[in-house]
Amino acid sequence: MYTEKVMDHFSNPRNMGEIENADGVGTVGNAKCGDIMRIYLKIEKGIVEDVKFKTFGCGAAIATSSMATELVKGKTVQEALHVTNKAVMEALDGLPKVKVHCSLLAEEALQAALWDYAKKNGIVIEGLKEPKEEDHDHELDDEEE
Amino acid sequence: MDKTIIYFDHAATTSTKKEVLDEMLPYFTQSFGNPSSIYNFAVSNKNAIDVARDQVAKAIGADEKEIFFTSGGTEADNWAIKGIAESYKAKGNHIITTSIEHHAVLHTCEYLAKNGYEITYLPVDSDGLINLDQLRSAIKDTTILITIMFANNEIGTVQDVEAIGKIAKEKGVIFHTDAVQAVGHLPIDVHAMNIDLLSMSGHKLYGPKGTGALYVKKGVKLKAFMHGGAQEKGRRAGTENVPGIVGLGKAIELATNHMEEESIRQAKLRDYLIGQVLDKIPYSRLNGHKVNRLPNNVNFSFQFIEGEALLIMLDLKGVSASSGSACTSGSLDPSHVLLAIGLPHEIAHGSLRITFGEKSTLEEVDYLIEILQGIVIRLREMSPLYDDFLEKQR
C-alpha cells in the first residue's frame, strides 16, 4: 500500500529526535485522531541548521515527518516556508488517498515551528500565518494518489 | 524464522484446509450438475448438500432442517435481522443489540433504524460484557428481536449466551447470535442455549470464503431474503454453491472434532502471551475479558504508540496481525469496540490483535514477544506523547 520511499522513511526515519533549546518548536494534530507531530528547528542566520521530529502516528505520518525534515534542512526560512504537503508527497512518490492528511500535518507542524521561531525572536516571516489551534479536522484531499 | 510468515490473524480469515479442498474439488469439474435437476448424476449433489447440512447441524446441536446455507456470515446476519424485522412487524418494531457488534449487525440495525425501527444498543462493561439486568429491563412489548454476538471478533470476550437465551425465552423475544468467531472454537448447543437464530461463516474455520449458514429454529418465521427458485425450502433462492457448501460442512466437522484439544492448546498460548507481554512491556494492557474469552484471541493496547505503525513493523519482521487503529480500518475513528469498553481514543489507536490458529506454536509466540518489545520501544522513542508523559513523571 505504501511506496518504497515511504517504507524507507518509515523504517529508517531521518532526523528523528529532539533539539534541546530549539529555536522553534511546533506541535500539531491530536491524539484523538491518532496522529501528533512535533518539529524542532535550529535556525542560524536565517538558515535551518538542524531539524528533528517526533511523531505519534501511522506509517505515513512517520514517513512524511521524516521527509519534511529532510526537505527543510539547510534551507533558508523562506524556502522552508514553501515546503508544502504537496512537495512532501511528491518526494515520497505519493501517498494513499486516506493518508494525504498526514502530509498536511507535516506542513502544519513545520509552519507551527517557524511561527514559534518568529515569535520568540520578534520577527515577521513574510507569508507565514499563525497556526490554528487543534484544527486538524482530517479533511481529505482528493488530488493525489 | 524471519523468512517465513507467522500468521497471527486467524480471526480475519484462515486458509482452506487440504482435506476440505479435496472434498470440494470433485464438485467443480465432475459432479457439476445443478442439484435441482432430475437426472441421476445431479442427484448426488443434492445428497452432498444434505451431508453438509447434517455436519453443520451437528456442530451446533441443531436439527438439519434448521440449517440454511448462505454466502457467509454477513449474509446470515443481514437475513436474520432484516428477516425477523419484517416477519414480526405486526408485533413491534424494537430491536435490542449491543455497542460491540460486528458491522454486519450494527450497520444492518442502523439501516432498519432509518426505516422506522427502534434500536437499543446495550453498553458493555470494561471487559466487554453486557449487563443482564440491563438487557432484561430493555425488553418491552414492542421488542421483536435480541441480537447479541456470541464472542467478539476484536477483543474476544464471550457473552453469557445461555443466560441471554433464558431471558429471551422468558420474555418471549426471538434471540439471534452472530457466532462467526465462536463456531468451531466454543461448545454450542442452540437448543440448550435457547438460541433462535445463529450466524456462522466458513472461512474462519478453515473452510472456503463465500460460505456460511444461518440456523433458524423450527417455528421461527423468517421471510425469504433472496427471491427466485425453490432452493433452501424457498427461503434462500439461487443455485446452491455445492463445492462451497461441501467445504463448509467438512470444515465445521473437522473443527468440532478437534475443538476440545485445540481450544485448550490455544488458550495456553494465549495466556502465556498475555502474561509475558504485560510483564515485559510497560504501559500495556489487555483488552477484553481475562477468562471469558475466545481461546485464540489476544488484544493489547500499548500506550503512546499507534497501531498501524506497529503492524507495519511486525510485518517487516514477518508477523501478520491486526489492529483497531483508525488507520487500519479505513475510517478515521478507532475501533468502536475499544471505545465501547471505555478506552480513550489515543489508547484505542494503539491496539494490537493477535489471533492463533491450529498451526500456531509456542516458538512463534516467543518470537513475537521478542520482537514486540523492540518495536514498542522504537515507536515510543519516536512518540511526542511518550516524551510528554515522561516529562510529567519528572
Side-chain angles (χ1 to χ4, degrees), chain B residues 235-283:
Chain B
R235 286 169 121 172
R236 203 279 188 182
T239 298
E240 298 88 340
N241 171 10
V242 183
I245 288 168
V246 166
L248 171 67
K250 185 68 186 173
I252 284 199
E253 186 186 70
L254 289 172
T256 39
N257 284 349
H258 300 149
M259 189 170 73
E260 211 182 320
E261 57 193 87
E262 258 312 304
S263 60
I264 292 172
R265 193 187 73 85
Q266 291 184 27
K268 268 191 195 156
L269 289 181
R270 174 195 72 187
D271 295 338
Y272 172 70
L273 175 63
I274 293 170
Q276 289 287 305
V277 166
L278 295 185
D279 185 44
K280 290 185 166 156
I281 303 183
Y283 314 114

Side-chain angles (χ1 to χ4, degrees), chain A residues 8-117:
Chain A
D8 176 35
H9 276 262
F10 169 72
S11 314
N12 311 292
R14 286 39 153 196
N15 308 309
M16 198 276 289
E18 53 193 296
I19 298 173
E20 272 192 49
N21 306 316
D23 297 308
V25 183
T27 304
V28 297
N30 64 64
K32 201 170 172 246
C33 304
D35 34 31
I36 296 179
M37 268 182 214
R38 182 172 295 161
I39 288 187
Y40 302 83
L41 296 172
K42 178 133 203 78
I43 296 173
E44 268 169 45
K45 293 179 191 145
I47 306 272
V48 179
E49 287 292 330
D50 198 9
V51 51
K52 298 270 188 211
F53 82 88
K54 287 245 173 164
T55 292
F56 160 79
C58 62
I62 290 168
T64 51
S65 320
S66 166
M67 183 53 93
T69 58
E70 230 182 23
L71 291 178
V72 298
K73 205 169 182 173
K75 300 272 168 67
T76 65
V77 166
Q78 262 315 313
E79 285 167 338
L81 192 56
H82 292 108
V83 172
T84 60
N85 78 303
K86 231 175 161 165
V88 173
M89 245 169 6
E90 269 164 26
L92 288 168
D93 294 338
L95 282 174
K97 239 181 208 172
V98 293
K99 302 289 186 180
V100 172
H101 71 276
C102 297
S103 62
L104 273 167
L105 212 56
E107 176 186 317
E108 287 167 16
L110 203 53
Q111 303 214 351
L114 287 168
W115 181 265
D116 184 48
Y117 160 72

Side-chain angles (χ1 to χ4, degrees), chain A residues 2 32 54-55 59 99, chain B residues 306 308 349 381-382 387-388:
Chain A
Y2 289 133
K32 201 170 172 246
K54 287 245 173 164
T55 292
K99 302 289 186 180
Chain B
E306 195 277 334
E308 192 223 54
H349 280 296
E381 273 171 12
M382 293 192 202
D387 277 354
D388 294 350

